Coordinates of all heavy atoms in Angstrom, one line a residue:
M1430 N 13.1 17.8 26.4 CA 12.1 18.5 25.4 C 12.8 19.6 24.7 O 13.7 20.3 25.4 CB 10.9 19.0 26.2 CG 9.9 18.0 26.7 SD 8.5 18.3 25.7 CE 7.5 16.9 26.4
K1431 N 12.4 19.8 23.6 CA 12.9 20.9 22.7 C 11.7 21.9 22.5 O 10.6 21.5 22.5 CB 13.5 20.5 21.4 CG 14.7 19.6 21.5 CD 15.9 20.4 21.7 CE 17.1 19.6 21.7 NZ 18.3 20.4 21.8
T1432 N 12.1 23.1 22.3 CA 11.1 24.2 22.0 C 11.0 24.4 20.5 O 11.9 24.4 19.8 CB 11.4 25.5 22.6 OG1 11.5 25.3 24.0 CG2 10.4 26.6 22.4
L1433 N 9.7 24.5 20.0 CA 9.4 24.8 18.7 C 8.5 26.0 18.6 O 7.4 26.0 19.2 CB 8.7 23.6 18.0 CG 8.2 23.8 16.6 CD1 9.4 23.9 15.6 CD2 7.4 22.6 16.2
T1434 N 8.9 27.0 17.8 CA 8.1 28.3 17.8 C 7.5 28.3 16.4 O 8.2 28.0 15.4 CB 9.0 29.5 17.9 OG1 9.6 29.4 19.2 CG2 8.2 30.7 17.9
L1435 N 6.2 28.5 16.3 CA 5.5 28.5 15.0 C 4.8 29.8 14.8 O 4.3 30.5 15.7 CB 4.4 27.5 15.0 CG 4.8 26.0 15.2 CD1 3.6 25.1 15.3 CD2 5.7 25.6 14.0
K1436 N 4.9 30.3 13.5 CA 4.1 31.5 13.1 C 3.0 30.9 12.3 O 3.2 30.4 11.2 CB 4.9 32.4 12.4 CG 6.0 33.1 13.3 CD 6.7 34.2 12.5 CE 7.7 34.9 13.4 NZ 8.4 36.1 12.8
L1437 N 1.8 30.9 12.8 CA 0.7 30.3 12.1 C -0.2 31.4 11.5 O -0.4 32.5 12.0 CB -0.2 29.5 13.1 CG 0.5 28.3 13.9 CD1 -0.4 27.9 14.9 CD2 0.9 27.4 12.9
P1438 N -0.9 31.1 10.3 CA -1.9 32.0 9.8 C -3.0 32.1 10.8 O -3.3 31.1 11.5 CB -2.3 31.3 8.5 CG -1.3 30.2 8.2 CD -0.6 29.9 9.5
L1439 N -3.7 33.1 10.8 CA -4.7 33.4 11.8 C -5.8 32.3 11.8 O -6.2 31.8 12.9 CB -5.3 34.8 11.6 CG -6.3 35.3 12.7 CD1 -5.6 35.2 14.1 CD2 -6.8 36.6 12.4
H1440 N -6.2 31.9 10.6 CA -7.3 30.9 10.5 C -6.9 29.6 11.1 O -7.7 28.9 11.7 CB -7.8 30.8 9.1 CG -6.9 30.1 8.2 ND1 -5.8 30.7 7.7 CD2 -6.8 28.8 7.8 CE1 -5.1 29.8 6.9 NE2 -5.7 28.6 7.0
L1441 N -5.7 29.2 11.0 CA -5.1 28.0 11.5 C -5.0 28.1 13.0 O -5.4 27.1 13.8 CB -3.8 27.6 10.9 CG -3.2 26.3 11.2 CD1 -4.2 25.2 10.9 CD2 -1.9 26.1 10.4
F1442 N -4.6 29.2 13.5 CA -4.4 29.4 14.9 C -5.8 29.3 15.6 O -6.0 28.7 16.6 CB -3.8 30.8 15.2 CG -3.7 31.1 16.6 CD1 -2.6 30.6 17.3 CD2 -4.6 31.9 17.3 CE1 -2.4 30.9 18.8 CE2 -4.4 32.2 18.6 CZ -3.4 31.6 19.4
K1443 N -6.8 30.0 15.0 CA -8.1 30.0 15.6 C -8.7 28.6 15.6 O -9.3 28.2 16.5 CB -9.1 30.9 14.8 CG -8.9 32.4 15.0 CD -9.8 33.2 14.2 CE -9.6 34.7 14.4 NZ -10.6 35.5 13.6
G1444 N -8.5 27.8 14.5 CA -9.0 26.4 14.4 C -8.3 25.6 15.5 O -9.1 24.8 16.2
I1445 N -7.1 25.7 15.7 CA -6.4 25.0 16.8 C -6.9 25.3 18.2 O -7.2 24.5 19.0 CB -4.9 25.2 16.7 CG1 -4.3 24.6 15.5 CG2 -4.1 24.6 18.0 CD1 -2.8 24.9 15.2
K1446 N -7.1 26.6 18.4 CA -7.6 27.1 19.7 C -9.0 26.6 19.9 O -9.3 26.1 21.0 CB -7.6 28.6 19.6 CG -7.9 29.3 21.0 CD -7.7 30.8 20.9 CE -8.1 31.5 22.2 NZ -7.9 32.9 22.1
E1447 N -9.8 26.6 18.9 CA -11.3 26.2 19.1 C -11.3 24.7 19.3 O -12.0 24.2 20.2 CB -12.1 26.5 17.8 CG -12.4 28.0 17.7 CD -13.0 28.3 16.4 OE1 -13.3 27.4 15.6 OE2 -13.2 29.6 16.1
N1448 N -10.6 23.9 18.5 CA -10.6 22.5 18.7 C -10.0 22.1 20.0 O -10.5 21.1 20.7 CB -9.9 21.8 17.5 CG -10.6 21.9 16.2 OD1 -11.8 22.0 16.2 ND2 -9.9 22.0 15.1
A1449 N -9.0 22.7 20.5 CA -8.4 22.3 21.8 C -9.3 22.7 22.9 O -9.5 21.8 23.8 CB -7.0 23.1 21.9
A1450 N -10.0 23.8 22.8 CA -11.0 24.1 23.8 C -12.1 23.1 23.8 O -12.6 22.8 24.9 CB -11.5 25.5 23.5
E1451 N -12.6 22.7 22.6 CA -13.7 21.7 22.6 C -13.2 20.4 23.3 O -14.1 19.8 23.9 CB -14.1 21.4 21.2 CG -14.9 22.5 20.6 CD -15.3 22.1 19.0 OE1 -15.2 20.9 18.7 OE2 -15.6 23.1 18.4
K1452 N -12.0 20.0 23.1 CA -11.5 18.8 23.7 C -11.1 19.0 25.2 O -10.8 18.0 25.9 CB -10.3 18.3 22.9 CG -10.6 17.7 21.6 CD -9.3 17.2 20.9 CE -9.7 16.3 19.8 NZ -9.8 14.9 20.2
G1453 N -11.0 20.2 25.6 CA -10.7 20.5 27.0 C -9.2 20.3 27.3 O -8.8 19.9 28.4
I1454 N -8.4 20.5 26.2 CA -6.9 20.4 26.4 C -6.2 21.7 26.0 O -6.8 22.5 25.3 CB -6.3 19.2 25.6 CG1 -6.6 19.4 24.1 CG2 -6.9 17.8 26.1 CD1 -6.0 18.3 23.2
S1455 N -5.0 21.8 26.3 CA -4.2 23.0 25.9 C -3.9 22.9 24.5 O -3.9 21.9 23.8 CB -2.9 23.1 26.7 OG -2.1 22.0 26.3
M1456 N -3.6 24.2 23.9 CA -3.2 24.2 22.5 C -1.9 23.4 22.3 O -1.7 22.8 21.2 CB -3.1 25.7 22.1 CG -4.4 26.4 21.9 SD -4.2 28.1 21.5 CE -3.3 28.1 20.0
E1457 N -1.0 23.4 23.3 CA 0.2 22.7 23.2 C -0.1 21.2 23.0 O 0.5 20.5 22.2 CB 1.0 23.0 24.4 CG 2.4 22.2 24.4 CD 3.2 22.4 25.6 OE1 2.7 23.0 26.6 OE2 4.4 21.9 25.6
S1458 N -0.9 20.7 23.9 CA -1.3 19.3 23.9 C -2.0 18.9 22.5 O -1.6 17.9 21.9 CB -2.2 18.8 25.0 OG -1.5 19.0 26.2
Y1459 N -2.8 19.7 22.1 CA -3.5 19.5 20.8 C -2.5 19.5 19.6 O -2.5 18.6 18.8 CB -4.5 20.7 20.6 CG -5.3 20.5 19.3 CD1 -6.5 19.7 19.2 CD2 -4.9 21.1 18.1 CE1 -7.2 19.6 18.1 CE2 -5.6 20.9 16.9 CZ -6.7 20.2 16.9 OH -7.4 20.0 15.8
S1460 N -1.6 20.5 19.7 CA -0.6 20.6 18.6 C 0.4 19.4 18.6 O 0.8 18.8 17.6 CB 0.2 21.9 18.7 OG -0.7 23.0 18.6
I1461 N 0.8 18.9 19.8 CA 1.7 17.8 19.9 C 1.0 16.6 19.3 O 1.6 15.8 18.6 CB 2.2 17.6 21.3 CG1 3.2 18.7 21.8 CG2 2.8 16.2 21.6 CD1 3.5 18.7 23.2
E1462 N -0.2 16.3 19.7 CA -1.0 15.2 19.2 C -1.1 15.3 17.6 O -1.0 14.2 17.0 CB -2.4 15.1 19.8 CG -3.1 13.8 19.6 CD -2.4 12.6 20.1 OE1 -1.7 12.6 21.0 OE2 -2.6 11.5 19.4
A1463 N -1.4 16.4 17.2 CA -1.5 16.6 15.7 C -0.2 16.3 15.1 O -0.2 15.6 13.9 CB -2.0 18.0 15.4
L1464 N 0.9 16.8 15.6 CA 2.2 16.5 15.0 C 2.5 15.0 15.0 O 3.1 14.4 14.1 CB 3.3 17.3 15.7 CG 3.2 18.8 15.3 CD1 4.1 19.6 16.3 CD2 3.5 19.1 13.9
K1465 N 2.1 14.3 16.1 CA 2.4 12.9 16.3 C 1.7 12.1 15.1 O 2.3 11.3 14.5 CB 1.9 12.3 17.6 CG 2.8 12.7 18.8 CD 2.2 12.1 20.0 CE 3.0 12.4 21.3 NZ 2.4 11.9 22.5
I1466 N 0.5 12.5 15.0 CA -0.4 11.8 13.9 C 0.2 12.1 12.5 O 0.3 11.2 11.7 CB -1.9 12.4 14.0 CG1 -2.5 11.8 15.3 CG2 -2.6 11.9 12.8 CD1 -3.8 12.4 15.6
Y1467 N 0.6 13.3 12.3 CA 1.2 13.7 10.9 C 2.5 12.9 10.7 O 2.8 12.4 9.7 CB 1.4 15.2 10.8 CG 1.9 15.6 9.5 CD1 1.0 15.5 8.4 CD2 3.2 16.0 9.2 CE1 1.5 15.9 7.1 CE2 3.6 16.4 8.0 CZ 2.8 16.3 6.9 OH 3.2 16.6 5.7
N1468 N 3.3 12.9 11.8 CA 4.6 12.1 11.7 C 4.3 10.7 11.4 O 5.0 10.1 10.6 CB 5.3 12.3 13.0 CG 6.8 12.8 12.9 OD1 7.2 13.1 11.8 ND2 7.5 12.7 14.0
S1469 N 3.4 10.1 12.1 CA 3.0 8.7 11.9 C 2.6 8.5 10.4 O 3.0 7.5 9.8 CB 1.9 8.3 12.8 OG 1.5 7.0 12.6
T1470 N 1.8 9.4 9.9 CA 1.3 9.3 8.5 C 2.5 9.3 7.5 O 2.6 8.6 6.6 CB 0.3 10.4 8.2 OG1 -0.8 10.3 9.1 CG2 -0.2 10.4 6.8
C1471 N 3.4 10.3 7.8 CA 4.6 10.4 6.9 C 5.5 9.1 6.9 O 5.9 8.6 5.9 CB 5.4 11.6 7.3 SG 4.7 13.2 6.9
N1472 N 5.6 8.6 8.2 CA 6.5 7.3 8.3 C 5.8 6.2 7.6 O 6.5 5.4 7.0 CB 6.7 7.1 9.8 CG 7.6 8.0 10.4 OD1 8.4 8.6 9.7 ND2 7.5 8.2 11.8
R1473 N 4.5 6.1 7.6 CA 3.7 5.0 7.0 C 3.9 5.1 5.5 O 4.1 4.1 4.7 CB 2.3 5.0 7.4 CG 2.0 4.2 8.5 CD 0.5 4.0 8.7 NE 0.1 4.7 9.9 CZ -0.8 5.6 10.0 NH1 -1.5 6.0 9.0 NH2 -1.1 6.2 11.2
K1474 N 3.9 6.4 4.9 CA 4.0 6.6 3.5 C 5.5 6.2 3.0 O 5.6 5.5 2.0 CB 3.7 8.0 3.1 CG 2.3 8.4 3.1 CD 2.1 9.8 2.8 CE 0.6 10.2 2.8 NZ 0.3 11.6 2.4
K1475 N 6.4 6.5 3.9 CA 7.9 6.1 3.6 C 8.0 4.6 3.5 O 8.6 4.1 2.7 CB 8.8 6.7 4.6 CG 9.2 8.1 4.5 CD 10.4 8.4 5.4 CE 10.0 9.5 6.3 NZ 11.1 9.8 7.2
L1476 N 7.3 4.0 4.5 CA 7.5 2.5 4.6 C 6.7 1.8 3.4 O 7.2 0.9 2.8 CB 6.8 2.0 5.9 CG 6.9 0.6 6.3 CD1 8.4 0.2 6.4 CD2 6.2 0.3 7.6
A1477 N 5.6 2.4 3.0 CA 4.9 1.9 1.8 C 5.7 2.0 0.6 O 5.8 1.1 -0.2 CB 3.5 2.6 1.7
K1478 N 6.4 3.1 0.4 CA 7.3 3.3 -0.8 C 8.4 2.3 -0.7 O 8.8 1.7 -1.7 CB 7.9 4.7 -0.8 CG 7.0 5.8 -1.3 CD 7.7 7.1 -1.4 CE 6.7 8.2 -1.9 NZ 7.4 9.5 -2.0
A1479 N 9.0 2.0 0.5 CA 10.1 1.1 0.6 C 9.6 -0.3 0.3 O 10.3 -1.1 -0.4 CB 10.7 1.1 2.0
F1480 N 8.4 -0.7 0.8 CA 7.8 -2.0 0.5 C 7.6 -2.1 -1.1 O 7.9 -3.2 -1.7 CB 6.6 -2.3 1.2 CG 6.8 -2.8 2.6 CD1 6.2 -2.1 3.7 CD2 7.5 -3.9 2.9 CE1 6.4 -2.6 5.0 CE2 7.7 -4.4 4.1 CZ 7.2 -3.7 5.2
S1481 N 7.1 -1.1 -1.7 CA 6.8 -1.1 -3.1 C 8.1 -1.3 -3.9 O 8.1 -2.1 -4.8 CB 6.2 0.2 -3.5 OG 5.9 0.3 -4.9
R1482 N 9.2 -0.6 -3.5 CA 10.5 -0.7 -4.2 C 11.0 -2.2 -4.0 O 11.5 -2.8 -5.0 CB 11.5 0.3 -3.7 CG 11.3 1.6 -4.4 CD 12.5 2.5 -4.0 NE 11.9 3.6 -3.2 CZ 12.1 4.0 -2.0 NH1 13.0 3.3 -1.3 NH2 11.4 4.9 -1.4
A1483 N 10.9 -2.7 -2.7 CA 11.4 -4.0 -2.4 C 10.6 -5.0 -3.3 O 11.2 -6.0 -3.7 CB 11.4 -4.3 -1.0
S1484 N 9.3 -4.8 -3.4 CA 8.4 -5.8 -4.0 C 8.9 -5.9 -5.6 O 8.9 -7.0 -6.1 CB 7.0 -5.3 -4.0 OG 6.1 -6.2 -4.7
L1485 N 9.2 -4.7 -6.1 CA 9.6 -4.7 -7.5 C 10.9 -5.5 -7.7 O 11.1 -6.2 -8.7 CB 9.8 -3.3 -8.0 CG 8.5 -2.5 -8.3 CD1 8.8 -1.1 -8.7 CD2 7.6 -3.2 -9.3
L1486 N 11.8 -5.4 -6.8 CA 13.1 -6.1 -6.8 C 12.9 -7.5 -6.7 O 13.5 -8.4 -7.3 CB 14.1 -5.6 -5.7 CG 14.5 -4.1 -5.8 CD1 15.3 -3.8 -4.6 CD2 15.4 -3.9 -7.1
V1487 N 12.1 -8.0 -5.8 CA 11.8 -9.4 -5.5 C 11.0 -10.0 -6.6 O 11.1 -11.2 -6.9 CB 11.0 -9.5 -4.1 CG1 10.5 -11.0 -3.9 CG2 11.9 -9.1 -3.0
R1488 N 10.1 -9.3 -7.3 CA 9.2 -9.8 -8.3 C 10.1 -10.5 -9.4 O 9.8 -11.6 -9.9 CB 8.5 -8.7 -9.0 CG 7.4 -9.2 -10.0 CD 6.7 -8.0 -10.7 NE 5.9 -7.4 -9.7 CZ 5.4 -6.2 -9.8 NH1 5.5 -5.5 -10.9 NH2 4.7 -5.6 -8.9
E1489 N 11.2 -9.8 -9.8 CA 12.0 -10.4 -10.9 C 12.6 -11.7 -10.5 O 12.6 -12.8 -11.2 CB 13.1 -9.4 -11.2 CG 14.0 -9.9 -12.5 CD 15.0 -8.9 -12.8 OE1 14.8 -7.7 -12.7 OE2 16.1 -9.3 -13.3
S1490 N 13.2 -11.8 -9.2 CA 13.7 -13.0 -8.7 C 12.6 -14.0 -8.6 O 12.9 -15.3 -8.9 CB 14.3 -12.7 -7.3 OG 14.7 -13.9 -6.7
S1491 N 11.4 -13.7 -8.1 CA 10.4 -14.6 -8.0 C 10.0 -15.2 -9.4 O 9.7 -16.4 -9.5 CB 9.2 -13.9 -7.4 OG 8.2 -14.9 -7.0
M1492 N 10.0 -14.4 -10.4 CA 9.6 -14.8 -11.7 C 10.7 -15.9 -12.2 O 10.3 -16.9 -12.9 CB 9.5 -13.7 -12.7 CG 8.5 -12.7 -12.4 SD 6.8 -13.2 -12.8 CE 6.9 -12.8 -14.5
E1493 N 11.9 -15.6 -11.9 CA 13.0 -16.6 -12.4 C 12.8 -17.9 -11.6 O 12.9 -19.0 -12.2 CB 14.4 -16.0 -12.0 CG 14.7 -14.8 -12.9 CD 16.0 -14.2 -12.4 OE1 16.6 -14.6 -11.5 OE2 16.3 -13.1 -13.1
T1494 N 12.5 -17.9 -10.3 CA 12.3 -19.1 -9.6 C 11.1 -19.8 -10.1 O 11.2 -21.1 -10.2 CB 12.0 -18.7 -8.0 OG1 13.2 -18.0 -7.6 CG2 11.9 -19.9 -7.2
N1495 N 10.0 -19.2 -10.4 CA 8.8 -19.8 -11.0 C 9.2 -20.5 -12.3 O 8.7 -21.6 -12.6 CB 7.7 -18.8 -11.1 CG 7.1 -18.5 -9.8 OD1 7.2 -19.2 -8.8 ND2 6.3 -17.3 -9.9
A1496 N 10.0 -19.9 -13.1 CA 10.3 -20.3 -14.4 C 11.2 -21.6 -14.2 O 11.0 -22.6 -14.9 CB 11.1 -19.4 -15.2
E1497 N 12.1 -21.6 -13.2 CA 12.9 -22.8 -12.9 C 12.0 -24.0 -12.5 O 12.2 -25.1 -12.9 CB 13.9 -22.5 -11.8 CG 15.1 -21.6 -12.4 CD 16.0 -21.1 -11.3 OE1 16.0 -21.7 -10.1 OE2 16.8 -20.1 -11.5
W1498 N 11.1 -23.7 -11.6 CA 10.2 -24.7 -11.1 C 9.4 -25.3 -12.3 O 9.1 -26.5 -12.4 CB 9.2 -24.2 -10.0 CG 9.8 -24.2 -8.7 CD1 10.3 -23.2 -8.0 CD2 10.1 -25.4 -7.9 NE1 10.8 -23.6 -6.8 CE2 10.7 -25.0 -6.7 CE3 9.8 -26.8 -8.1 CZ2 11.1 -25.9 -5.7 CZ3 10.2 -27.7 -7.1 CH2 10.8 -27.2 -5.9
D1499 N 8.9 -24.4 -13.2 CA 8.1 -24.9 -14.3 C 8.9 -25.8 -15.2 O 8.5 -26.9 -15.7 CB 7.6 -23.7 -15.1 CG 6.5 -23.0 -14.5 OD1 5.8 -23.6 -13.6 OD2 6.1 -21.8 -14.9
Q1500 N 10.2 -25.5 -15.4 CA 11.1 -26.2 -16.2 C 11.3 -27.6 -15.6 O 11.3 -28.6 -16.2 CB 12.4 -25.4 -16.4 CG 13.3 -26.1 -17.5 CD 14.5 -25.1 -17.8 OE1 15.0 -24.5 -16.9 NE2 15.0 -25.1 -19.0
L1501 N 11.6 -27.6 -14.2 CA 11.8 -28.9 -13.5 C 10.5 -29.8 -13.6 O 10.6 -31.0 -13.7 CB 12.1 -28.6 -12.0 CG 13.5 -28.1 -11.8 CD1 13.6 -27.7 -10.3 CD2 14.6 -29.1 -12.1
L1502 N 9.3 -29.1 -13.5 CA 8.1 -30.0 -13.5 C 7.9 -30.5 -15.0 O 7.3 -31.6 -15.1 CB 6.9 -29.1 -13.0 CG 6.9 -28.7 -11.5 CD1 5.8 -27.8 -11.3 CD2 6.8 -30.0 -10.7
D1503 N 8.3 -29.8 -15.9 CA 8.1 -30.3 -17.3 C 9.0 -31.4 -17.6 O 8.7 -32.2 -18.5 CB 8.2 -29.1 -18.3 CG 7.1 -28.1 -18.3 OD1 6.1 -28.4 -17.7 OD2 7.4 -27.0 -18.7
D1504 N 10.1 -31.5 -17.0 CA 11.1 -32.5 -17.3 C 10.7 -33.8 -16.7 O 10.1 -34.6 -16.4 CB 12.5 -32.2 -16.8 CG 13.1 -31.1 -17.5 OD1 12.7 -30.8 -18.6 OD2 14.1 -30.4 -17.0

């Protein structure tokens, strides 16, 4: 494990403290779970961008293949 020190604005600190208390968990556990969720969200966004870029690249190739099939079927 590594240590991460944060300086939080008071309103954010209070919100974390209250939410952790409501869940009956430590602020550390609450913060770790929040960071896991945020990390997962960021990774999903990166993956979506990569799929979007790949889709654009494949689209051109797919159009060429469709044109070739159309030409073969017309002959």
Side-chain angles (χ1 to χ4, degrees):
M1430 285 250 178
K1431 295 282 186 177
T1432 300
L1433 175 66
T1434 303
L1435 300 171
K1436 290 186 179 187
L1437 301 171
L1439 186 57
H1440 71 281
L1441 186 56
F1442 179 83
K1443 285 181 180 179
I1445 292 170
K1446 188 175 181 179
E1447 289 171 7
N1448 289 330
E1451 282 178 21
K1452 289 183 161 274
I1454 59 175
S1455 68
M1456 288 177 56
E1457 178 184 10
S1458 294
Y1459 181 88
S1460 299
I1461 289 171
E1462 188 62 28
L1464 290 170
K1465 283 180 185 176
I1466 292 168
Y1467 185 70
N1468 232 7
S1469 177
T1470 300
C1471 289
N1472 289 337
R1473 273 191 245 123
K1474 285 182 181 180
K1475 279 191 237 178
L1476 190 58
K1478 281 184 182 180
F1480 276 125
S1481 180
R1482 277 187 246 118
S1484 177
L1485 291 175
L1486 295 173
V1487 172
R1488 183 182 300 162
E1489 185 177 326
S1490 172
S1491 189
M1492 297 282 278
E1493 290 171 5
T1494 303
N1495 286 341
E1497 289 174 14
W1498 276 106
D1499 285 342
Q1500 194 173 33
L1501 286 171
L1502 292 173
D1503 288 342
D1504 291 342

